[in-house]
């Protein structure tokens, strides 16, 4: 009984090891270059920061975004629940 359990444990460990190797081998593509349009990495836009209201614990929406030059923006947030405002917060995408 114990010998069959040990054998089963070894077989399951081998299956798990082979499945981990197969997943990583399938994810790796040696011939693919990342400076192409196939990945569509060029279309990914940076995420605009979000804030939580300190008084009512709701998400604050972006009220306005002002460009201050050099690729930097000042963000102003306003809570829709209680009307609290927060800003300017510097952000460079």
């Amino acid at each position: 009984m114990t010998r069959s359990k040990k054998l089963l444990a070894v077989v399951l460990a081998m299956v798990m090891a082979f499945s981990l190797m197969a997943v990583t081998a399938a994810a790796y593509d040696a011939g693919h270059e990342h400076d192409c349009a196939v990945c569509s990495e060029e279309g990914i836009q940076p995420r605009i920061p979000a804030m939580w209201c300190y008084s009512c614990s709701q998400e604050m929406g972006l009220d306005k975004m002002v460009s201050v030059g050099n690729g930097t923006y000042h963000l102003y947030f306003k809570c829709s629940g209680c009307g609290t405002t927060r800003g300017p917060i510097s952000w460079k995408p």
Side-chain angles (χ1 to χ4, degrees), residues 57-88:
S57 298
Q58 291 184 8
E59 184 180 359
M60 298 178 83
L62 184 63
D63 190 27
K64 63 181 173 177
M65 181 181 347
V66 179
S67 176
V68 293
N70 204 16
T72 306
Y73 296 92
H74 281 176
L75 304 175
Y76 296 88
F77 294 93
K78 184 173 184 179
C79 179
S80 60
C82 64
T84 304
T85 58
R86 178 128 168 107

Side-chain angles (χ1 to χ4, degrees), residues 5-79:
K5 285 184 180 180
K6 287 182 182 180
L7 183 63
L8 182 63
V10 168
V11 169
L12 288 176
M14 287 175 51
V15 167
M16 186 177 75
F18 288 136
S19 68
L20 289 176
M21 286 188 285
V23 167
T24 54
Y28 179 75
D29 185 11
H32 181 71
E33 296 292 329
H34 281 282
D35 34 335
C36 65
V38 175
C39 293
S40 70
E41 291 176 352
E42 298 162 354
I44 297 173
Q45 297 293 321
R47 187 172 96 73
I48 295 176
M51 294 197 70
W52 287 97
C53 182
Y54 296 116
S55 43
C56 66
S57 298
Q58 291 184 8
E59 184 180 359
M60 298 178 83
L62 184 63
D63 190 27
K64 63 181 173 177
M65 181 181 347
V66 179
S67 176
V68 293
N70 204 16
T72 306
Y73 296 92
H74 281 176
L75 304 175
Y76 296 88
F77 294 93
K78 184 173 184 179
C79 179

